[in-house]
Amino acid sequence: MSSKNRVTPEEALAYHLEPRPGKYEIIASTPMATQRDLSLAYSPGVAVPVQAIADNPALAYDYTVKGNMVAVISNGTAILGMGNLGALASKPVMEGKAVLFKRFADVNAIDIELDTEDAEEIIKAISLMGPTFGGINLEDIKAPECFIIEQRLKEIMDIPVFHDDQHGTAVICAAGLINALELSGKKIEDCRIVLNGAGAAGIACLELLKSMGAKHDNCIMCDTKGVIYQGRTEGMNQWKSAHAARTDLRTLEEAMVGADVFLGVSAKGAVTPEMVSSMAENPVIFAMANPDPEITPEDAHAVRPDAIVATGRSDYPNQVNNVLGFPYLFRGALDIHARAINDEMKIACARALAALAREDVPDEVAMAYGRKLSFGRDYIIPTPFDPRLIYVIPPAVARAGMDTGVARRPIIDMKAYEQTLKSRMDPTASILQGIHARAKQAQARMIFAEGDDPRVLRAAVAYQRAGLGKAIVVGREPDVREKLEAVGLADAVRELEVVNAANTRHLEAYKGFLYNRLQRSGHDSEDIHRLATRDRHVFSALMLQHGHGDGLVTGVTRKSAHILSLINHVFDATAAAGAVGVTALLHKGRIILIADTLVQEWPEPEDLATIAIRSAGVARSLGLEPRVAFVSFSTFGYPVSERATKMHEAPRVLDRMGVDFEYEGEMTVDVALNMDQMKHYPFCRLTGPANILVVPARHSASISVKLMQEMAGATVIGPILTGVKKPIQICSTNSTVNDILNMAVMAACKIGQ
């Protein structure tokens, strides 16, 4: 996999600044429009749930957000790998953790930064906030204070308190180790385990593995001073002493001889190839130091091809990623109103993750990663974007919580619970992640036609630095350099390939092709020369046509209709040729495709059928099973109107063609999208809400998309141009850098091709 992915300081700052500072906002979940709404939300209506909770505190889980709210708390003394930078500096990290809770498990979370290093003050502050939250996630607090704080809070609070730096790493490590040992034919109780790094995560890993059967004296813990053995006094504390082994070994190098398992939560380069060579047959190596592992998989496999290797990095197989654990642990704990997250719940999470990795991987996951994933040495831990995580892991955690008596409200119907978990998933996020992963596999050479626009240049830099492929910018190098310098990306000039008519050796070939194509359409040789040398859109299209790039992104500086007319000098991107524009709307966890938004001005029934077929192809490229609705202001013939007739006839055209996707019409939008409305028409052939809306005309498509964008805040991707022989995507003039990047990714994945 690519290791080119890197984020520049400018990109990181822009991400946290735009469109508004920070990474989340609070949105009301109940109506707040009328005086009656406000009376119910606050005074006098709020007095009723207040009294109910005063009479029965358990009702706080029913009438407030407590049951789905976690506090992410830090004092900034151990931020990522950066050290003690203070409470305020930790806020971006804690905000990030909060949005990961929401993204992966639909858990509301809010960050709290405590400006103190006094453990007693932190304990007091958090304990006083107990009534507000359903759980506490401690983060980036240095050892040994983190041990003291967590233990005391567990003793005095009646909600889960979980230090993710410790237990999150331990749970995912345990899940991977279960499968690694199965593949190597070993049992945990027989294994010699060496751990390097006696901090919070390392100690938690050994504690969990011992609770799963690892024997105390088979586990050798090392720190910067060597092996932690019984009788050692230097650099010791009570938490290290609890794991001191009876052994004559004194160094990491000695401990590694004959070891079955190495667990690293220490530093880059801590393990040498010689150490790996000395390990037992089929060694298991979890080199989890970030950002660089104790030893790379390449170096480990060079001396021990039989090794199973995991790291903390996403660009290697077997990533030990905490996001596989904490969202789902808390989801399961919150849903049983748990008093704690205990060892049994953590072990249940680890075993469920291990079992999931052994199951057949869904096609959408394989599609997202651009390769078939199956249980084996390079796949012992599920990927973070496996859609099954949300409904597999929390039930296992909840069952363990119920079995061990920490549940206030046990789940009676586990099957129904799994269904509610499935409904919490936001498919749009996984779809976008999937196409980005596929683009990274494709490594397409992407042509960015408008190299004079700073947004385009920033998107081109982001495309290349994200490891998605090669960015080719059409423009003049001095202009490109000047604009990149203005946005703080001066060093990127050396990375991008800047091309124009003045420096290409292919100009004569381009002009020859264009002349042969247009000579009978009123263009003489002078016209051809001007088009090829002065119009960057035509020049970019010629590059694509001749294979000097794999995809094209344009449209940021000119209206889409004008861009399309220029592209048609080189390609057949017309309605007659079957080209279609499909726009994806992402809103509140739903994705709807609307077509045609670009090419077809006033389509007839046969054209509408073509639009449906092209849109179905786009849907499948995105991992959706297409359900097409031909929408109008009428439903199945009423009210009667000649303008609705073609929408009634279009499904009959598809009937004759025998297509392999669901379709129906004509119908209003509410019938197409709302199953309660659809039930009034039991003969309707759609088995679920439509995800493709074919509209009567381009103007109605444009109005619909822009209305959703401006009034509802929908994310718009498109129009996606399909039905053209090469990947070309046309952005809108108000596109952001992220919009342009998304369109480049669409082109790289050949969506709709």
Side-chain angles (χ1 to χ4, degrees):
M1 298 179 70
S2 171
S3 59
K4 299 176 182 177
N5 190 4
R6 68 187 182 99
V7 175
T8 65
E10 293 79 15
E11 288 176 295
L13 292 174
Y15 177 87
H16 289 80
L17 176 65
E18 301 166 353
R20 286 179 291 273
K23 293 194 283 292
Y24 67 82
E25 62 185 11
I26 304 298
I27 299 174
S29 59
T30 54
M32 290 285 173
T34 67
Q35 180 60 47
R36 182 175 182 275
D37 293 338
L38 297 178
S39 296
L40 288 168
Y42 196 54
S43 180
V46 76
V48 179
V50 166
Q51 188 61 54
I53 293 169
D55 296 339
N56 181 2
L59 292 177
Y61 286 91
D62 295 322
Y63 298 130
T64 75
V65 299
K66 178 182 175 73
N68 194 41
M69 178 66 78
V70 168
V72 180
I73 301 178
S74 180
N75 67 347
T77 52
I79 302 174
L80 302 175
M82 303 169 71
N84 185 351
L85 299 179
L88 186 59
S90 75
K91 187 168 176 60
V93 182
M94 300 310 120
E95 285 186 4
K97 193 66 174 285
V99 296
L100 290 178
F101 268 109
K102 189 66 176 177
R103 159 66 179 86
F104 287 100
D106 195 26
V107 171
N108 294 322
I110 191 164
D111 64 294
I112 297 172
E113 292 73 36
L114 298 176
D115 193 13
T116 178
E117 295 187 21
D118 187 305
E120 290 302 320
E121 287 188 336
I122 293 171
I123 292 166
K124 183 71 176 293
I126 295 174
S127 65
L128 291 173
M129 291 188 284
T132 307
F133 301 102
I136 304 293
N137 184 105
L138 302 175
E139 191 80 12
D140 289 358
I141 300 173
K142 69 181 177 69
E145 288 84 354
C146 62
F147 302 120
I148 299 168
I149 292 165
E150 186 190 49
Q151 185 57 43
R152 285 278 303 283
L153 289 173
K154 283 181 175 180
E155 293 169 359
I156 62 179
M157 298 186 77
D158 65 346
I159 57 175
V161 178
F162 184 87
H163 185 211
D164 189 48
D165 297 314
Q166 295 179 59
H167 309 298
T169 302
V171 167
I172 313 310
C173 174
L177 190 59
I178 290 169
N179 282 338
L181 293 180
E182 178 172 312
L183 288 167
S184 58
K186 299 178 181 180
K187 296 181 179 179
I188 192 169
E189 56 267 28
D190 300 328
C191 287
R192 283 196 57 236
I193 300 171
V194 176
L195 171 88
N196 195 48
I203 289 172
C205 285
L206 270 198
E207 286 179 347
L208 189 61
L209 294 181
K210 287 178 180 179
S211 68
M212 294 172 64
K215 293 180 180 176
H216 177 83
D217 284 329
N218 280 350
C219 298
I220 305 297
M221 178 182 285
C222 301
D223 62 10
T224 55
K225 294 178 170 50
V227 171
I228 295 171
Y229 57 90
Q230 289 191 5
R232 188 180 121 173
T233 57
E234 186 182 8
M236 296 295 286
N237 57 42
Q238 67 187 77
W239 297 278
K240 291 182 183 181
S241 295
H243 296 282
R246 288 172 295 196
T247 179
D248 295 328
L249 303 171
R250 292 296 180 263
T251 66
L252 175 61
E253 186 175 13
E254 292 173 2
M256 289 286 276
V257 177
D260 298 288
V261 176
F262 169 78
L263 305 177
V265 277
S266 52
K268 174 184 178 181
V271 173
T272 65
E274 291 74 22
M275 293 180 189
V276 173
S277 295
S278 72
M279 293 179 73
E281 183 181 357
N282 291 315
V284 176
I285 301 167
F286 280 24
M288 298 177 286
N290 263 322
D292 297 301
E294 284 82 359
I295 187 169
T296 66
E298 296 95 332
D299 289 344
H301 285 135
V303 294
R304 291 301 296 271
D306 60 336
I308 297 173
V309 185
T311 72
R313 289 176 53 145
S314 61
D315 53 351
Y316 290 120
N318 300 328
Q319 184 190 16
V320 178
N321 189 334
N322 284 19
V323 82
L324 289 165
F326 70 82
Y328 310 111
L329 273 163
F330 273 96
R331 179 76 275 155
L334 290 169
D335 292 337
I336 58 172
H337 302 178
R339 295 181 178 87
I341 293 175
N342 56 31
D343 279 352
E344 290 82 0
M345 294 163 79
K346 290 182 279 187
I347 292 170
C349 179
R351 287 177 175 159
L353 284 167
L356 186 60
R358 294 194 292 269
E359 293 183 11
D360 184 48
V361 179
D363 289 342
E364 61 264 37
V365 178
M367 183 185 297
Y369 283 83
R371 58 189 176 93
K372 182 63 179 173
L373 299 172
S374 59
F375 179 57
R377 290 171 174 268
D378 288 335
Y379 183 70
I380 58 173
I381 307 171
T383 66
F385 299 98
D386 191 319
R388 299 170 297 177
L389 289 163
I390 184 65
Y391 61 86
V392 169
I393 310 306
V397 173
R399 285 190 193 96
M402 292 187 289
D403 291 344
T404 53
V406 299
R408 287 187 181 87
R409 187 177 296 179
I411 295 168
I412 305 302
D413 188 341
M414 196 59 71
K415 287 292 182 185
Y417 175 52
E418 290 176 11
Q419 288 301 315
T420 64
L421 290 170
K422 288 180 181 179
S423 70
R424 288 183 178 275
M425 273 301 295
D426 179 355
T428 59
S430 58
I431 286 170
L432 286 176
Q433 174 63 30
I435 61 173
H436 274 256
R438 286 158 55 194
K440 187 171 285 189
Q441 289 288 330
Q443 290 294 300
R445 299 165 297 159
M446 192 56 53
I447 303 167
F448 293 84
E450 296 152 310
D452 62 339
D453 190 289
R455 292 169 296 167
V456 173
L457 292 175
R458 287 171 60 194
V461 172
Y463 179 86
Q464 184 148 313
R465 288 184 172 176
L468 296 167
K470 177 67 178 175
I472 304 170
V473 172
V474 175
R476 295 175 60 249
E477 191 162 326
D479 291 343
V480 170
R481 180 183 296 105
E482 180 183 341
K483 287 181 169 60
L484 285 173
E485 287 174 351
V487 296
L489 293 171
D491 61 329
V493 175
R494 298 187 302 273
E495 301 170 29
L496 301 177
E497 181 180 348
V498 182
V499 179
N500 58 45
N503 66 9
T504 180
R505 54 189 174 85
H506 303 293
L507 184 59
E508 292 306 315
Y510 293 171
K511 289 163 59 176
F513 169 86
L514 202 57
Y515 185 72
N516 288 334
R517 181 175 168 84
L518 301 179
Q519 61 185 340
R520 294 185 180 275
S521 301
H523 292 78
D524 60 24
S525 57
E526 286 299 315
D527 297 328
I528 296 302
H529 179 79
R530 280 192 293 270
L531 279 172
T533 58
R534 298 183 186 178
D535 193 288
R536 57 196 166 178
H537 306 290
V538 175
F539 180 82
S540 300
L542 286 165
M543 286 181 63
L544 183 63
Q545 168 64 36
H546 285 77
H548 301 141
D550 302 311
L552 169 62
V553 178
T554 185
V556 176
T557 61
R558 303 295 295 271
K559 296 294 185 182
S560 58
H562 178 69
I563 298 293
L564 196 60
S565 68
L566 293 169
I567 287 172
N568 270 304
H569 289 316
V570 181
F571 292 99
D572 294 321
T574 63
V580 171
V582 183
T583 295
L585 287 178
L586 284 64
H587 184 59
K588 290 187 176 179
R590 299 179 70 174
I591 180 165
I592 304 293
L593 305 183
I594 296 181
D596 181 327
T597 51
L598 181 64
V599 182
Q600 312 258 358
E601 180 68 36
W602 180 255
E604 296 302 326
E606 291 75 14
D607 303 316
L608 291 166
T610 298
I611 292 170
I613 292 168
R614 299 291 192 206
S615 300
V618 171
R620 283 177 169 153
S621 295
L622 294 173
L624 300 171
E625 189 55 38
R627 288 189 296 272
V628 176
F630 293 91
V631 292
S632 179
F633 64 90
S634 59
T635 300
F636 299 118
Y638 184 82
V640 177
S641 168
E642 61 177 302
R643 285 186 171 268
T645 301
K646 65 177 184 177
M647 307 308 290
H648 185 82
E649 293 175 356
R652 311 291 86 80
V653 177
L654 290 180
D655 288 344
R656 295 192 294 271
M657 298 173 73
V659 296
D660 63 346
F661 55 85
E662 293 182 22
Y663 56 91
E664 188 58 284
E666 88 281 17
M667 61 178 68
T668 56
V669 170
D670 57 331
V671 174
L673 299 181
N674 188 321
M675 287 304 291
D676 290 334
Q677 294 295 319
M678 197 181 291
K679 287 175 184 175
H680 295 302
Y681 306 92
F683 55 84
C684 179
R685 293 180 287 189
L686 297 182
T687 60
N691 50 26
I692 298 171
L693 304 182
V694 177
V695 297
R698 194 174 75 193
H699 64 269
S700 50
S702 177
I703 291 168
S704 302
V705 168
K706 292 185 183 301
L707 185 63
M708 281 295 295
Q709 185 176 28
E710 294 302 320
M711 293 297 293
T715 297
V716 175
I717 300 178
I720 300 163
L721 183 59
T722 181
V724 182
K725 72 174 186 175
K726 296 271 191 174
I728 303 170
Q729 300 304 343
I730 301 176
C731 303
S732 63
T733 53
N734 62 351
S735 293
T736 65
V737 173
N738 201 51
D739 294 334
I740 300 165
L741 181 60
N742 279 336
M743 294 303 279
V745 168
M746 292 283 180
C749 292
K750 300 182 178 180
I751 298 296
Q753 287 288 298

